[in-house]
Amino acid sequence: MIGYVTVGTNDLPRAAAFYDAIAVHFGVGRMMDNDQFIAWGDMASPSAGLAATKPFDDQPASVGNGTMVALMVDSPEKVDAVYATAIAQGGSDEGAPGPRGDDGFYAGYFRDLDGNKLNVFCMVAPTG
């Protein structure tokens, strides 16, 4: 149902470098790129894309309290790798990768360079 998600940025080139590095883990690259926004994903895939955008109203980008983008991968190792890449690119820790509860949800949480909160997760065999 979701086609793409956008996160705001006040520095598009900086956001581009951050998300270019993360996109590699998903096997995608830029699918749209202009002076206003850059989107990553695969136009031929039914999976949702992700875009970083300068706000169209020309006001400063800000972080939505309670807003988070969740990126799905297929293994805990990929969760760890995406999280490590985000931190290496200057992102900040919001919760290191690991199991959350006993229902098989494995996730790591981080913020991008503009303060947008993201999570990378996968489902594994439940522990309980």
Side-chain angles (χ1 to χ4, degrees), residues 31-58:
M31 63 179 176
M32 300 176 85
D33 188 342
N34 63 42
D35 292 340
Q36 186 73 38
F37 70 94
I38 299 170
W40 293 264
D42 179 355
M43 294 288 257
S45 169
S47 297
L50 176 69
T53 185
K54 297 187 293 187
F56 283 89
D57 65 3
D58 292 324

Side-chain angles (χ1 to χ4, degrees), residues 25 76-86 97:
H25 294 284
E77 294 78 19
K78 287 185 183 175
V79 169
D80 296 346
V82 172
Y83 174 87
T85 298

Side-chain angles (χ1 to χ4, degrees), residues 102-105 123-128:
D102 59 1
D103 61 354
F105 186 73
M123 299 303 295
V124 296
T127 59

Side-chain angles (χ1 to χ4, degrees), residues 94-116:
E94 284 286 320
R100 303 293 196 272
D102 59 1
D103 61 354
F105 186 73
Y106 186 94
Y109 297 82
F110 58 92
R111 289 190 185 267
D112 71 8
L113 305 176
D114 289 287
N116 296 296

Side-chain angles (χ1 to χ4, degrees), residues 7-34:
V7 294
T9 184
N10 292 304
D11 187 335
L12 191 57
R14 182 179 74 157
F18 183 86
Y19 286 106
D20 281 342
I22 289 175
V24 170
H25 294 284
F26 296 88
V28 299
R30 296 181 185 188
M31 63 179 176
M32 300 176 85
D33 188 342
N34 63 42

